[in-house]
């Protein structure tokens, strides 16, 4: 047998497991496809206005129109083009998701490291603050905060950043507490390594996996919450390329015409389907990564 | 012990494999062992050599992804009629359930993990009685109730309640008896068919096995009463009976204050106490064979000695045979009559303890013995070079050859046959090719 | 004794968290201009722009924050929560009107969510790697990814829009007339289905029950996914433990193995997670009530957010926060009761 560095072998093994699971492959492909759509949005659907996130609309007629050559996925209420909205909506979903989760990670990791490593009063204060954040149902809290700082897509992003960090702090802190007591940390400390050095060379990397997995799962949840807020009318303005906003434009069209009861199915079905796929992709991927890294699941 | 030994259980050419993601782990590579009635039999080897897998195969509790792929296991429960062996691998799961814990039982390495954290000691030990001795429990309970009832006033309403209770218990017992009779009949027929391999017999065996699987203790009245709130309480005195038995059992195992201990949960007990509870679970139904899977390796030395003493005691008084797994040769010398040395899923050598320690034949056994420190040791402790092989791609031929000091060419090509070198001393090594001409 | 000490400790912690929640809500309020905050103090909506300055002065809305906080807290303790424009009544009155609608839905949905989750999760673990396992896993992850509002809209489109059954709204017009103006109707609990049984009005019961089916279905599909997944993984973990080997070695049958030995242990983490499920249920309640047009707390909350009904929103947050804290306490107590290791440590 060829000799390989154990880390490398471990990585190869992990990758093999990851790719062997059909669900994780589906998840990965969904994320990649959405990523490409977001990246290529200006090519796929060239913007009509200076602000590309404004969906072009042809007229103000209230009734949605079915898919046609000009509008491959049909139009929404007030003749907004569905395809354009969804393509640029993908881009804004990525922007929101990545921005919010990155900011959450940043705040969460700093506070988690402080709490987990220093313990004592610092830990107590930080953890009681997370307790308070956890004491209110997330969506309810987000709604109230959006109202308090003024509605709009920007407000939604700010609110999700303010409210999203505590779960990372908690996970990281408990991981650090577990790692801190491990023998190799004690060994490093006994051999005279400094606090900061131990922290960033030993503790954080060991505790980081679970946080990153959580982040991957949370991109989906973040998008769902943002869409829910837009759906409730607290997010972006009418006509913005934002998935929740698109769905809320379509919500009055569940009842068709007397002759054709599913007359407006496309307007309800398509945008929700796209959101679901996006969230599904991230969830499948996060799940697969978690399964692969979970030592308890490894040898089964 | 010179009289002809009676075989209790015998495995031959057992292959158990684990189908893991990384490949097939060939854990047992044709293991044949024989445990006789009345002996303490040792199974020795380094960790990962397949000792535990062997005994788990014996009880048929190998967990997926593991599977017993071929071989034979025959259990001789009937002392008088030697022809009535039970083919363990051909019986149904239901049949195995009736054997496990009743005729063969097992104690484990890590008593803390072997006990269910959310069930009390009473629940866990009592379960053995519930699973295998329910009829006896009901009979005893009824006797108790009878006594109580005669002591009561003739017209007292509580007496009527007792009557109803007794009637329900009797109904439940009748159901159990009917079931036991049916199962006994099926077992009898299966015994008679055991060694026959013709098509008709196989079909008949299969249908009998299925019939046994389907048979359930049924008692119309009692099974309804068991689901009705209030009425359900008729079974309470059974619990009291079981409790009495559990307390007695714990007391007989030298557990102080058993009335108190039965109410405890595993995490409230010390390691030694936990292991005694595990032993109690295994002993509840007086098994013929007790399998002890490294019962002392995770305990403190003093506790170890106590547990070993306890097992030796039990061997003298209650259990017929003990199969003792360990990696500690000192313990083997102390406890066992005969011993088998295993290496990487193979049986290397089997002999009486005395003979094995005096004249080990297999180079692996010799290496093992040399690596045990002695009190008057002067020179360096010797050790066997190398490590236990990976069982996904085990070495060809004799699995020990890469570490063997007496390696020959043939060792890399051919698996050595097991030969009886002298009477009762078996060895699998190419150094000893023929029978008795070393 | 130790259980009692545990309860006392948890109660103290709960008070602390509640104070934190109130501070959080207060901070959010302070982000708003004084003119909007007036609504939290007044008792009717007859506020003209001319009176505004007087009211701001009267309630001291430009005072230092700590002063305002304690004044607000005092009001809360006196049950004064301001005036809600969406309910067109004082907040507490509106709350009394909206709460039963939500409570009734929770009463039906919550047990169903927990049972479905536990049942399907156990099924998946027991039949690991079979078709049944794959189906339940896919179901769980889909339930996890579906937006609540989209599933609700789809259900409405198919059942109401296409098949013409399960109309939105909590009650039909006829039945509403009975419930709100029939003198022979006794609202014992204000939960319509239960009152209908107590009043022996089957028509009312059926109407209320019938309209609850779709919203319940919506909540169950979305919210049981978490429990289902946790139950599956913790059941698998329990099945791999050493004590399962002990149980098998003593001859336990499948039923005893799964129900008595594995499930009891596997349920422990599920108890902990049910608090989180409750919070998520509250979130999806806002959406579900909005879509199915049931005028409960969630619907009220959504309306209030749209119309900047500050008094109602702040009250709802405070209320749901309190409820959630209490639910978590109950969950922890149940856990301590079920797991002997916590009970005595």
């Amino acid at each position: 047998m060829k000799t390989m560095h154990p880390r490398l072998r471990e990585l190869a093994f992990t990758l093999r497991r990851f790719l062997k699971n059909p669900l994780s492959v589906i998840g990965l492909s969904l994320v990649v496809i959405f990523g490409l759509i977001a990246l290529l949005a200006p090519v796929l659907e060239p913007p009509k206005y200076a602000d590309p996130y404004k969906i072009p609309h042809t007229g103000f007629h209230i009734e949605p129109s079915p898919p046609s050559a000009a509008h491959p996925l049909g139009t929404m209420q007030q003749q907004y083009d569905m395809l354009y909205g969804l393509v640029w909506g993908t881009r804004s979903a990525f922007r929101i998701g990545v921005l919010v989760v990155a900011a959450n990670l940043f705040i969460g990791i700093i506070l988690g490291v402080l709490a987990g490593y220093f313990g004592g009063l610092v830990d107590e204060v930080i953890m009681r603050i997370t307790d308070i954040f956890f004491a209110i149902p997330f969506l309810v809290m987000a709604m109230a905060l959006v109202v308090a700082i003024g509605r709009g897509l920007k407000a939604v992003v700010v609110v999700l950043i303010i409210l999203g960090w505590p779960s990372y702090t908690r996970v990281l802190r408990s991981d650090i507490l577990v790692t801190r007591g491990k023998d190799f940390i004690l060994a490093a400390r006994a051999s005279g390594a400094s606090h900061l050095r131990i922290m960033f060379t030993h503790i954080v990397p060991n505790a980081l996996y679970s946080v990153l997995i959580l982040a991957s799962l949370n991109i989906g949840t973040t998008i769902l919450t943002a869409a829910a807020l837009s759906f409730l009318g607290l997010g972006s303005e009418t006509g913005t390329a934002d998935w929740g906003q698109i769905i809320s434009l379509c919500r009055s069209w569940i009842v068709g015409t007397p002759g054709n009861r599913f007359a407006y199915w496309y307007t309800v079905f398509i945008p929700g389907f796209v959101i679901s796929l996006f969230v599904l992709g991230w969830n499948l991927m996060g799940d697969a990564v978690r399964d692969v890294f979970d030592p308890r699941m490894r040898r089964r | 012990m010179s009289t002809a030994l009676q075989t209790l259980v015998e495995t031959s050419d057992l292959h158990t494999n684990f189908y893991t993601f990384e490949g097939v782990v060939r854990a047992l590579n044709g293991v044949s062992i024989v445990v006789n009635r009345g002996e303490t039999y040792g199974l020795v080897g380094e960790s990962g050599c397949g000792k535990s897998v062997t005994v788990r195969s014996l009880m048929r509790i190998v967990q997926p992804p593991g599977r017993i792929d071929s071989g034979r296991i025959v259990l001789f429960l009937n002392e008088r009629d030697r022809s009535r062996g039970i083919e363990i691998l051909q019986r149904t799961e239901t049949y195995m359930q009736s054997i496990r814990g009743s005729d063969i039982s097992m104690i484990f390495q890590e008593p803390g993990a072997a006990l269910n954290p959310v069930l009390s000691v009473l629940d866990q030990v009592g379960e053995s009685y519930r699973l295998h001795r329910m009829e006896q429990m009901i009979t005893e309970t009824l006797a108790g109730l009878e006594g109580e009832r005669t002591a009561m006033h003739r017209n007292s309403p509580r007496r009527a309640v007792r009557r109803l209770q007794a009637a329900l218990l009797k109904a439940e017992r009748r159901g159990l008896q009917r079931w036991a009779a049916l199962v006994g009949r099926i077992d009898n027929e299966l015994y008679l068919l055991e060694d026959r391999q013709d098509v008709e017999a196989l079909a008949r065996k299969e249908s009998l096995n299925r019939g046994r699987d389907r048979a359930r203790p049924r008692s119309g009245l009692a099974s309804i009463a068991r689901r009705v709130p209030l009425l359900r309480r008729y079974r309470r005195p059974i619990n009291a009976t079981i409790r009495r038995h559990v307390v007695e059992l714990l007391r007989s195992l030298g557990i102080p204050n058993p009335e108190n201990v039965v109410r405890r949960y595993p995490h409230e007990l010390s390691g030694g106490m936990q292991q005694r509870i595990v032993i109690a679970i295994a002993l509840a139904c007086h098994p013929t064979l007790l399998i002890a899977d490294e019962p002392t390796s995770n305990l403190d030395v003093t506790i170890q000695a106590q547990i070993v003493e306890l097992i030796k005691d039990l061997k003298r008084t209650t259990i017929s045979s003990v199969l003792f797994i360990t990696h500690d040769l000192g313990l083997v010398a102390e406890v066992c009559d005969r011993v088998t040395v295993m290496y990487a899923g193979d049986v290397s050598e089997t002999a009486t303890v005395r003979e094995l320690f005096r004249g080990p034949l297999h180079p692996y056994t010799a290496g093992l013995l040399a690596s045990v420190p002695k009190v008057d040791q002067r020179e360096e402790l010797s050790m066997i070079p190398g490590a236990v092989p990976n069982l996904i791609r085990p070495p060809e031929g004799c699995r020990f050859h890469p570490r063997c000091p007496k390696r020959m060419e043939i060792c890399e090509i051919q698996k050595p046959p097991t030969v009886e070198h002298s009477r009762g001393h078996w060895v699998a090594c190419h150094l000893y090719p023929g029978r008795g001409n070393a | 004794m130790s259980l009692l000490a545990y309860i006392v400790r948890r109660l103290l912690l709960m008070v602390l968290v509640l104070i934190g929640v109130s501070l959080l809500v207060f901070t959010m309020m302070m982000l708003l201009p004084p003119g909007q905050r007036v609504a939290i103090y007044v008792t009717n909506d007859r506020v003209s722009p001319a009176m505004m300055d007087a009211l701001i002065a009267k309630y001291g809305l430009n005072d230092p924050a700590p002063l305002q906080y304690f004044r607000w807290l005092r009001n809360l303790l006196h049950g004064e929560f301001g005036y809600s424009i969406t309910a067109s009544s004082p907040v507490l009155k509106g709350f009394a009107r909206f709460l039963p609608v939500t409570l009734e839905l929770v009463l039906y949905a919550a047990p169903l969510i927990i049972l479905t989750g536990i049942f399907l999760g156990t099924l998946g673990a027991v039949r690991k790697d079979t078709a049944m396992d794959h189906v339940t896993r896919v179901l769980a992850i889909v339930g996890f990814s579906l937006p609540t509002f989209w599933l609700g809209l789809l259900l409405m489109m198919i059942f109401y829009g296409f098949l013409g059954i399960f109309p939105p709204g909590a009650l039909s017009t006829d039945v509403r007339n009975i419930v709100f103006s029939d003198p022979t109707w006794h609202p014992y609990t204000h939960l319509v289905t239960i009152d209908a049984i107590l009043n022996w009005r089957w028509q009312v019961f059926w109407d209320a029950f019938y309209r609850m089916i779709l919203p319940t279905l919506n909540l169950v599909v979305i919210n049981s996914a978490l429990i289902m997944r946790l139950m599956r993984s913790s059941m698998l973990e329990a099945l791999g433990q050493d004590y399962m080997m002990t149980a098998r070695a003593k001859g336990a049958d499948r039923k005893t193995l799964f129900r008595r030995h594995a499930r009891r242990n596997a349920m422990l983490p599920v108890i902990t997670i049910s608090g989180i499920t409750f919070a998520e249920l509250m979130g999806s309640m806002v959406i579900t009530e909005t879509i199915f047009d049931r005028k409960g707390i969630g619907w009220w909350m959504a309306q209030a957010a749209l119309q900047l009904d500050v008094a109602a929103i702040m009250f709802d947050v405070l209320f749901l926060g309190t409820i959630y804290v209490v639910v978590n306490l109950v969950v922890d107590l149940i856990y301590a009761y079920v797991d002997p290791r916590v009970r005595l440590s």
Side-chain angles (χ1 to χ4, degrees):
Chain A
M1 204 169 83
K2 260 192 310 183
T3 46
M4 224 166 144
H5 191 275
R7 274 258 161 100
L8 272 178
R9 206 172 58 211
E10 199 66 18
L11 191 72
F13 174 73
T14 304
L15 262 177
R16 210 145 46 93
R17 264 194 82 122
F18 185 85
L19 293 176
K20 213 187 159 209
N21 181 353
L23 287 182
S24 56
V25 173
I26 295 176
L28 185 68
S29 351
L30 280 174
V31 170
V32 168
I33 291 171
F34 275 108
L36 284 177
I37 293 177
L39 218 62
L40 299 177
V43 185
L44 293 172
E45 286 290 312
K48 295 246 169 65
Y49 311 117
D51 178 6
Y53 290 101
K54 275 177 86 173
I55 310 177
H57 61 139
T58 47
F60 291 91
H61 188 55
I62 197 88
E63 192 184 332
S65 56
S68 63
H71 305 287
L73 294 180
T75 64
M76 302 169 242
Q77 187 174 304
Q78 296 171 22
Q79 306 312 308
Y80 288 108
D81 182 55
M82 179 75 83
L83 183 61
Y84 186 95
L86 291 178
V87 166
W88 282 87
T90 309
R91 206 174 161 107
S92 67
F94 262 97
R95 287 213 313 188
I96 297 172
V98 171
L99 183 65
V100 168
V101 169
N104 285 341
L105 268 177
F106 184 72
I107 305 175
I109 287 177
I110 288 183
L111 292 178
V113 166
L114 288 178
Y117 194 75
F118 292 108
L121 190 66
V122 181
D123 181 33
E124 195 64 28
V125 169
I126 293 177
M127 289 335 280
R128 292 296 82 79
I129 292 177
T130 64
D131 277 353
I132 293 164
F133 272 80
F134 273 114
I136 303 176
F138 191 78
L139 187 68
V140 171
M141 182 74 193
M143 283 171 69
L145 199 52
V146 169
V147 169
I149 64 177
R151 287 172 287 194
L153 202 55
K154 269 204 190 105
V156 168
V157 169
V158 171
V159 163
L160 290 177
I161 290 174
I162 295 176
L163 296 182
W165 58 268
S167 53
Y168 301 96
T169 304
R170 270 203 181 173
V171 168
L172 191 66
R173 168 184 174 268
S174 65
D175 263 24
I176 288 177
L177 286 186
V178 172
T179 334
R180 206 169 57 163
K182 290 241 173 84
D183 291 342
F184 68 96
I185 300 294
L186 298 180
R189 190 165 302 158
S191 65
S194 75
H195 272 295
L196 268 181
R197 205 184 140 71
I198 293 176
M199 179 105 100
F200 285 101
T201 55
H202 295 293
I203 295 186
V204 172
N206 268 293
L208 215 55
Y209 275 136
S210 32
V211 172
L212 289 178
I213 291 164
L214 188 66
S216 145
L217 287 168
N218 268 6
I219 288 191
T221 329
T222 301
I223 292 305
L224 275 186
T225 313
L229 289 171
S230 281
F231 174 79
L232 289 170
L234 302 178
S236 48
E237 291 159 36
T238 307
T240 312
D242 166 59
W243 288 342
Q245 167 58 35
I246 293 173
I247 279 250
S248 102
L249 262 184
C250 302
R251 62 183 274 203
S252 358
W253 300 95
I254 49 172
V255 180
T257 55
N260 181 2
R261 294 178 152 189
F262 273 146
Y264 307 114
W265 69 272
Y266 49 89
T267 202
V268 177
F269 181 79
I270 296 172
F273 186 66
V274 171
I275 303 180
S276 305
L277 281 185
F278 182 84
V279 179
L280 187 69
W282 284 103
N283 280 348
L284 285 175
M285 214 172 75
D287 249 22
V289 174
R290 184 181 52 197
D291 282 357
V292 163
F293 280 111
D294 189 346
R296 281 173 310 183
M297 310 287 285
R298 276 206 97 113
R299 306 288 165 196
R300 291 210 179 137
Chain B
M1 228 164 258
S2 55
T3 49
L5 288 167
Q6 258 194 354
T7 307
L8 174 60
V9 62
E10 180 177 359
T11 75
S12 45
D13 204 28
L14 209 53
H15 284 84
T16 299
N17 298 327
F18 287 79
Y19 296 83
T20 64
F21 182 79
E22 284 137 289
V24 183
V25 178
R26 304 191 183 280
L28 297 190
N29 185 29
V31 168
S32 307
I33 59 169
V34 176
V35 181
N36 294 315
R37 251 173 212 284
E39 75 178 354
T40 303
Y41 180 84
L43 206 52
V44 194
E46 288 162 287
S47 28
C49 71
K51 295 167 296 188
S52 293
V53 179
T54 307
V55 293
R56 281 173 195 194
S57 304
L58 206 82
M59 288 185 89
R60 247 180 66 189
I61 50 174
V62 179
Q63 288 215 320
R67 210 167 67 203
I68 306 170
D69 279 338
S70 66
R72 246 184 113 188
I73 304 171
V74 191
L75 175 66
F76 300 96
L77 280 181
N78 193 316
E79 257 176 275
R80 267 157 297 168
D81 193 352
R82 287 273 295 121
S83 64
R84 294 192 152 192
I86 301 161
E87 287 276 0
I88 292 230
L89 296 184
Q90 287 181 17
R91 285 306 183 80
T92 58
E93 183 57 27
T94 321
Y95 181 77
M96 287 311 297
Q97 280 161 10
S98 69
I99 298 270
R100 290 180 204 136
S102 175
D103 297 296
I104 312 178
S105 55
M106 189 159 167
I107 58 182
F108 296 88
Q109 205 178 115
E110 182 109 44
L115 293 172
N116 194 326
V118 297
L119 295 177
S120 70
V121 169
L122 176 64
D123 285 336
Q124 298 193 53
V125 181
E127 200 171 37
S128 297
Y129 293 114
R130 273 175 212 281
L131 290 166
H132 302 293
R133 296 286 181 271
M134 203 54 188
E135 200 188 317
Q136 183 197 338
M137 294 299 126
I138 294 178
T139 305
E140 283 176 27
T141 311
L142 277 170
L145 281 182
E146 195 61 41
E148 259 183 71
R149 206 172 69 194
T150 43
M152 274 178 201
H153 190 271
R154 180 173 287 276
N155 288 327
S156 129
R158 287 178 59 208
R159 190 165 162 157
V161 171
R162 288 281 181 277
R163 260 231 159 80
L164 176 65
Q165 201 164 26
L168 286 170
L169 287 172
K170 275 181 188 149
E172 191 172 342
R173 185 175 57 178
R174 269 199 305 280
L176 278 170
Q177 282 165 344
R178 268 203 303 274
W179 173 65
L182 174 67
V183 163
R185 222 168 35 239
I186 294 177
D187 283 347
N188 205 31
E189 277 188 60
L190 276 170
Y191 277 136
L192 298 178
L193 287 167
E194 198 68 61
D195 284 328
R196 289 180 41 206
Q197 297 294 325
D198 50 297
V199 181
E200 230 170 89
L202 285 177
R204 177 88 191 113
K205 265 194 229 177
E206 194 160 310
S207 83
L208 283 172
N209 267 329
R210 264 210 308 275
R212 199 185 196 285
D213 263 359
R214 265 199 306 266
R216 291 269 179 281
R218 287 242 167 71
S219 51
L221 195 59
S223 61
I224 294 169
R226 221 189 284 186
R227 290 193 182 81
V228 180
L230 275 182
L231 215 55
R232 173 158 60 198
R233 292 165 69 170
Y234 84 90
R235 296 185 100 225
R236 284 206 176 164
I238 302 185
N239 299 345
T241 309
I242 290 176
R243 186 193 190 90
R244 217 179 50 239
H245 275 268
V246 172
V247 169
E248 267 165 42
L249 177 64
L250 295 194
R251 186 172 290 128
S252 76
L253 291 175
I255 292 174
N257 199 359
E259 291 86 356
N260 183 8
V261 170
V262 291
R263 275 188 280 119
R264 297 297 180 91
Y265 288 87
H267 69 278
E268 302 171 71
L269 304 172
S270 67
M273 202 63 92
Q274 286 173 342
Q275 190 60 292
R276 280 166 208 260
I277 302 297
V278 174
I279 293 176
I281 292 174
L283 285 181
C285 302
H286 297 288
T288 318
L289 174 64
L290 176 72
I291 299 173
D293 188 352
E294 307 215 23
T296 57
S297 23
N298 281 317
L299 299 173
D300 290 344
V301 183
T302 46
I303 312 278
Q304 257 183 37
Q306 286 174 17
I307 296 288
V308 168
E309 272 317 304
L310 178 62
I311 292 174
K312 279 164 79 178
D313 256 5
L314 291 168
K315 168 72 183 56
R316 268 197 298 278
T317 53
T318 17
I319 330 162
S320 160
S321 312
V322 176
L323 203 171
F324 203 95
I325 300 181
T326 181
H327 55 256
D328 181 348
L329 284 168
L331 211 53
V332 169
E334 191 189 338
V335 187
C336 301
D337 303 320
R338 283 196 318 131
V339 59
T340 284
V341 179
M342 282 186 74
Y343 179 79
D346 275 324
V347 169
S348 307
E349 186 167 4
T350 304
T352 60
V353 167
R354 183 181 279 260
E355 216 167 316
L356 188 92
F357 276 79
R358 228 181 251 164
L361 295 177
H362 200 283
Y364 176 62
T365 317
L368 267 187
L369 287 172
S371 63
V372 176
K374 288 161 198 73
V375 179
D376 52 353
Q377 181 116 20
R378 286 287 162 80
E379 63 276 24
E380 287 265 306
L381 206 55
S382 73
M383 56 177 231
I384 309 172
V388 184
N390 166 356
L391 293 184
I392 293 176
R393 272 181 232 89
E396 296 282 312
C398 173
R399 286 185 173 182
F400 185 58
H401 82 254
R403 299 171 76 186
C404 185
K406 299 179 177 170
R407 177 175 47 233
M408 301 182 290
E409 257 172 54
I410 189 170
C411 299
E412 296 172 29
I413 306 160
Q414 200 186 344
K415 184 184 166 183
T418 307
V419 298
E420 189 167 16
H421 180 260
S422 56
R423 202 176 134 73
H425 195 154
W426 300 78
V427 62
C429 177
H430 287 298
L431 288 172
Y432 311 97
R435 188 174 280 256
N437 53 345
Chain C
M1 173 234 132
S2 50
L3 187 61
L4 193 71
Y6 178 75
I7 295 175
V8 169
R9 203 169 65 227
R10 288 302 321 251
L11 278 175
L12 285 177
L13 205 69
M14 184 179 104
V15 171
L16 217 68
V17 170
L18 283 180
I19 291 174
V21 169
S22 73
L23 269 171
L24 200 65
V25 172
F26 178 75
T27 316
M28 284 197 297
M29 269 163 42
M30 293 304 282
L31 292 171
L32 293 162
Q36 284 181 15
R37 275 187 279 135
V38 166
I40 297 165
Y41 297 88
V42 295
T43 50
N44 57 58
D45 61 345
R46 286 182 285 278
V47 180
S48 63
M51 291 160 66
M52 195 58 95
D53 287 334
L55 283 171
I56 289 175
K58 181 181 169 198
Y59 296 113
L61 298 184
N62 285 320
D63 288 355
L67 203 64
Q68 289 196 46
Y69 174 68
F70 286 111
R71 196 179 292 137
W72 175 66
L73 217 54
R74 201 189 55 214
N75 278 357
L76 293 190
L77 295 177
H78 285 111
E80 290 161 22
F81 298 98
Y83 186 89
S84 160
I85 41 171
T86 41
S88 14
S89 67
V91 166
L92 222 43
K93 253 195 180 147
F95 175 67
R97 202 166 79 227
F98 293 127
L99 181 67
V101 179
T102 304
L103 203 59
E104 200 170 13
L105 196 50
V106 171
L107 232 49
Y108 283 82
L112 269 176
I113 288 169
I114 292 175
L115 289 181
T116 314
I118 288 177
F119 177 73
L120 290 181
T122 312
L123 204 65
V126 169
R127 312 226 172 126
K128 184 170 185 278
D129 291 332
T130 62
M132 181 56 84
D133 181 28
H134 296 310
V135 168
T136 52
R137 282 178 81 180
V138 169
L139 260 180
I141 201 145
V142 167
F144 225 56
S145 314
L146 280 183
T148 320
F149 46 86
W150 187 52
L151 182 65
L153 287 178
L154 280 187
L155 288 175
M156 286 276 276
M157 187 167 84
I158 293 167
F159 288 99
Y160 178 57
F162 186 70
L163 298 173
I165 51 177
F166 298 130
L171 294 173
S172 67
T173 331
D174 296 350
V175 171
R176 196 176 300 125
N177 284 339
I178 296 179
V179 173
F180 289 111
S181 35
D182 189 333
T184 59
W185 173 266
H186 301 285
Y188 299 101
T189 59
H190 291 280
L191 306 175
V192 178
T193 46
I194 294 174
D195 282 347
I197 296 174
L198 295 177
N199 279 294
W200 218 246
R201 294 294 249 312
W202 290 105
Q203 179 213 353
V204 177
F205 174 82
W206 175 242
D207 187 65
F209 182 77
Y210 176 70
R211 284 153 186 271
M212 202 129 52
I213 293 175
L214 275 196
T216 307
L217 183 66
N218 194 27
L219 292 172
V220 169
V221 172
I222 299 289
N223 292 292
S224 55
L226 184 67
I227 292 187
M228 202 193 294
R229 283 159 55 118
L230 189 75
M231 188 66 201
R232 177 178 180 276
S233 68
S234 74
M235 187 79 182
L236 280 180
E237 197 176 325
L239 286 175
Q241 296 290 320
D242 285 4
Y243 54 75
M244 292 306 290
M245 196 53 103
T246 314
R248 291 187 78 191
K250 73 169 102 153
D253 49 294
R254 279 172 70 89
K255 204 170 117 186
T256 311
L257 282 176
F258 290 139
R259 297 210 182 146
R260 193 175 150 90
H261 287 276
R263 200 167 65 185
R264 266 180 112 123
N265 282 286
M267 290 277 277
L268 295 176
V270 173
I271 295 173
T272 325
I273 209 84
S274 54
I276 295 179
T277 301
F278 179 80
E280 284 184 354
L281 180 61
M282 288 298 107
S284 29
M285 195 62 90
V286 173
I287 309 260
T288 305
E289 285 186 351
T290 307
I291 288 177
F292 293 97
D293 193 29
R294 300 175 61 84
K295 296 189 174 50
I297 299 284
W299 178 87
W300 189 28
M301 179 100 211
Q303 291 304 310
L306 270 181
Q307 299 179 26
L308 281 180
D309 181 356
V310 178
I313 288 190
M314 294 307 159
F315 175 79
D316 282 345
V317 173
L318 216 50
F319 168 73
L320 291 176
T322 312
I323 287 284
Y324 185 33
V325 170
V326 173
V327 163
N328 271 328
L329 178 75
V330 172
V331 162
D332 283 356
L333 290 182
I334 293 177
Y335 190 94
Y337 179 75
V338 176
D339 189 346
R341 281 164 297 187
V342 178
R343 203 189 304 164
L344 289 140
S345 63

